[in-house]
Amino acid sequence: MNCPYCNRPAEWVSNAEVYGRRYGESYMIWLCRKCEAWVGCHKNSTKPLGTMAKRDLRELRIAAHAHIDPLWQSGQYRRKTVYRALEFVFGRRIHIGESDAKTCRQILQLRFETEEENV
């Protein structure tokens, strides 16, 4: 994997390289030390969970997840339903781990109706 910022080869390393200790059950990441960009991997494989990102984009992706994940984590909606709604809004499949800053900001602007608001 190459870093999308500098196009240099990324290293496949433990996330201890960025967190100071191993974090989580799936702790392998692709890392570009030069750009401080990284992405986690599926079940410690070399398969990335999305695209490599620098801090600002990682923070936007975390915020986007925090905005939509409660909808399915609460059991109010199925996860598939939430992501189909995003697909409908954007006209394409959405994977937050692959989303750019603009898409994340647009997700953060979305307002979702909850059951309490329907009462």
Side-chain angles (χ1 to χ4, degrees), residues 82-101:
V82 173
Y83 278 90
R84 280 190 181 154
L86 288 176
E87 184 174 350
F88 177 79
V89 169
F90 287 92
R92 60 184 165 80
R93 186 181 74 84
I94 295 293
H95 183 300
I96 292 174
E98 296 172 353
S99 294
D100 61 12

Side-chain angles (χ1 to χ4, degrees), residues 1-35:
M1 169 176 285
N2 287 338
C3 174
Y5 300 98
C6 69
N7 206 35
R8 293 181 183 188
E11 298 175 63
W12 187 63
V13 299
S14 166
N15 63 17
E17 298 285 327
V18 295
Y19 295 122
R21 68 174 182 85
R22 232 170 48 181
Y23 181 75
E25 288 182 30
S26 186
Y27 52 84
M28 296 305 290
I29 63 172
W30 285 104
L31 169 67
C32 176
R33 293 177 198 278
K34 178 184 180 289
C35 297

Side-chain angles (χ1 to χ4, degrees), residues 19-99:
Y19 295 122
R21 68 174 182 85
R22 232 170 48 181
Y23 181 75
E25 288 182 30
S26 186
Y27 52 84
M28 296 305 290
I29 63 172
W30 285 104
L31 169 67
C32 176
R33 293 177 198 278
K34 178 184 180 289
C35 297
E36 297 181 354
W38 68 81
V39 63
C41 296
H42 287 276
K43 299 180 182 177
N44 294 318
S45 71
T46 57
K47 183 179 178 185
L49 289 165
T51 59
M52 294 178 69
K54 291 183 179 183
R55 172 178 281 173
D56 59 340
L57 182 53
R58 288 191 307 269
E59 289 174 354
L60 282 169
R61 288 175 177 176
I62 289 167
H65 269 295
H67 187 62
I68 67 164
D69 287 358
L71 295 167
W72 61 266
Q73 289 172 338
S74 68
Q76 182 177 352
Y77 298 99
R78 291 184 1 205
R79 185 175 187 189
K80 182 184 257 184
T81 301
V82 173
Y83 278 90
R84 280 190 181 154
L86 288 176
E87 184 174 350
F88 177 79
V89 169
F90 287 92
R92 60 184 165 80
R93 186 181 74 84
I94 295 293
H95 183 300
I96 292 174
E98 296 172 353
S99 294

